Amino acid sequence: MDAGEPREPREPGPGAETAAAPRWEEAKTFYDNLTPKKKPKSPKPENAVTIAVSSRALFRMDEEQRIYMEQGVEEYVRYQLEHENEPFSPGPAFPFVKALEAVNRRLRELYPDSEDIFDIVLVTNNHAQVGVRLINSINHYDLFIERFCMTGGNSPICYLKAYHTNLYLSADAEKVQEAIDEGIAAATIFSPSRDMAVSQSQLRVAFDGDAVLFSDESERIVKAHGLDRFFEHEKAHENKPLAQGPLKGFLEALGRLQKKFYSKGLRLECPIRTYLVTARSAASSGARALKTLRSWGLETDEALFLAGAPKGPMLEKIRPHIFFDDQMFHVAGAQEMGTVAAHVPYGVAQTVRRSVPVKQAPAAQ
């Protein structure tokens, strides 16, 4: 064949296609890894279960709070700007938020187009300039929090209803009380006295009953007339449901998401588990609590009637991501055993001054 004559294309030898395929797959994987991963789309607030968390609940900001209190807002903002590339350490609500995101991943696998998932909103009265450090911290820990509310010193409570908030967690008791007074489920979150490992794949939420899920009707009778009259009252009203308490709606939202797993045959593998942990005794006053939940179409996965025994040891076995109670001595007992506990300031128990020392988380900003 002359040098100028075109050559016939050479037929590929045996196995050439199969040899090329792995090389192509390797190249595709390489370039896929270089491509930024697309984050899931945020749901519309009205369709989601919205959890509003203050910056001081999500992160530890002790040093920043000290500067704010001692040197004022200008020095506080300057310090934040100088340290905005340093992520905050995780705060008491951090494991809870991570567990919410683990549930969301499972829900998106089963229901790719559904917006009935958890939506986390960072709510803070910090100056907007501090937002860069908060964003950097959120990205550092690979959290999916797209909605921020930074109010520059004003109370953020007025925005909670606009976000369709199902639960508000803060380290500032005054703001939590504001939210409760506005009819929003809210609790003051406290850091535990020691670290305790919690599940990475299952969200566990524990509730007290009276003045948390239920109204404080029964607690008022105990305070006014003692236990004997309380037992008589509960027996006489066993079939009359209690009025709802401030966190009934949050349990309802959790139950709705649980049913999405149940409908796929995943009841035993459900990544949400709920607990009723109450000082009530089962025989004398437990039936009314359970029948009240049933009348609402709700349930908890487990119910522990402790008949006045301390809650801390049981919570240590449950290892919840968060425990809600209206009485500070139960919160303190939970903290001592390593549980992240949250105080719900609702009902007759709030009128009594307590002297039990509780390790406070720093006030939310």
Side-chain angles (χ1 to χ4, degrees):
M1 180 180 294
D2 294 338
E5 188 174 344
R7 295 178 181 270
E8 290 290 327
R10 180 178 296 178
E11 290 291 327
E17 290 185 9
T18 56
R23 289 196 296 270
W24 163 246
E25 290 299 328
E26 289 174 7
K28 183 175 182 298
T29 301
F30 173 77
Y31 286 109
D32 283 348
N33 289 336
L34 292 179
T35 305
K37 300 300 183 212
K38 183 180 179 181
K39 287 190 173 183
K41 183 180 177 182
S42 295
K44 295 182 178 67
E46 62 269 24
N47 297 335
V49 178
T50 300
I51 311 297
V53 184
S54 78
S55 58
R56 288 189 179 276
L58 185 59
F59 298 118
R60 293 190 182 278
M61 303 170 68
D62 300 29
E63 177 63 15
E64 290 77 10
Q65 174 69 359
R66 184 192 64 78
I67 292 172
Y68 174 77
M69 296 299 294
E70 295 179 1
Q71 302 178 42
V73 64
E74 295 302 324
E75 186 63 23
Y76 170 82
V77 171
R78 186 192 66 77
Y79 179 89
Q80 294 281 33
L81 293 176
E82 288 180 354
H83 294 80
E84 68 180 18
N85 292 320
E86 300 173 15
F88 294 112
S89 298
F94 189 91
F96 176 65
V97 168
K98 292 291 284 186
L100 298 177
E101 295 193 340
V103 173
N104 277 356
R105 286 192 291 273
R106 294 284 304 279
L107 284 169
R108 288 190 177 102
E109 291 170 2
L110 296 172
Y111 302 92
D113 299 322
S114 175
E115 292 191 329
D116 195 8
I117 59 176
F118 293 112
D119 186 25
I120 301 153
V121 180
L122 188 69
V123 177
T124 173
N125 64 354
N126 259 308
H127 192 282
Q129 288 296 324
V130 182
V132 174
R133 190 176 182 192
L134 290 169
I135 291 169
N136 288 342
S137 298
I138 284 168
N139 289 335
H140 173 79
Y141 294 109
D142 197 27
L143 299 174
F144 183 66
I145 301 178
E146 297 291 341
R147 292 193 167 98
F148 276 39
C149 180
M150 293 174 282
T151 62
N154 292 328
S155 173
I157 302 305
C158 62
Y159 296 101
L160 294 180
K161 287 186 177 179
Y163 279 109
H164 299 268
T165 300
N166 296 89
L167 176 68
Y168 171 55
L169 294 176
S170 175
D172 187 325
E174 290 185 6
K175 290 186 177 63
V176 167
Q177 188 66 65
E178 280 185 62
I180 288 285
D181 293 343
E182 290 293 323
I184 298 166
T188 309
I189 194 166
F190 296 92
S191 297
S193 299
R194 57 185 175 85
D195 292 335
M196 180 172 64
V198 292
S199 174
Q200 301 297 309
S201 58
Q202 184 181 63
L203 169 66
R204 298 178 186 175
V205 183
F207 299 90
D208 179 32
D210 296 293
V212 175
L213 293 178
F214 315 128
S215 73
D216 67 339
E217 169 197 324
S218 298
E219 285 193 351
R220 288 182 179 276
I221 292 171
V222 173
K223 298 289 184 187
H225 305 290
L227 277 174
D228 289 340
R229 180 70 66 84
F230 163 72
F231 292 141
E232 292 172 7
H233 177 270
E234 292 303 290
K235 189 66 177 175
H237 295 81
E238 180 179 311
N239 294 311
K240 179 183 177 182
L242 289 153
Q244 71 178 48
L247 265 66
K248 180 255 188 178
F250 180 52
L251 176 63
E252 190 172 34
L254 293 177
R256 187 177 74 244
L257 295 184
Q258 283 181 307
K259 288 175 181 176
K260 295 171 77 73
F261 292 98
Y262 299 168
S263 66
K264 297 289 188 179
L266 297 172
R267 177 180 283 268
L268 296 181
E269 295 80 31
C270 182
I272 304 172
R273 193 164 184 84
T274 55
Y275 304 79
L276 173 65
V277 183
T278 174
R280 285 175 176 250
S281 57
S284 57
S285 57
R288 191 181 186 196
L290 295 178
K291 287 183 177 181
T292 295
L293 290 174
R294 185 192 302 164
S295 74
W296 294 340
L298 300 179
E299 60 181 325
T300 56
D301 295 291
E302 299 187 28
L304 285 75
F305 294 92
L306 303 184
K311 298 181 179 182
M314 288 297 179
L315 292 167
E316 186 181 25
K317 300 301 181 184
I318 294 171
R319 296 176 177 260
H321 292 88
I322 194 166
F323 165 62
F324 297 98
D325 203 292
D326 68 304
Q327 301 199 43
M328 289 300 294
F329 68 88
H330 287 311
V331 170
Q335 286 179 276
E336 290 171 5
M337 304 303 288
T339 297
V340 173
H343 177 241
V344 181
Y346 173 84
V348 66
Q350 311 314 310
T351 63
V352 180
R353 181 180 294 275
R354 289 176 174 78
S355 59
V356 178
V358 176
K359 182 182 177 184
Q360 296 258 355
Q365 292 292 334

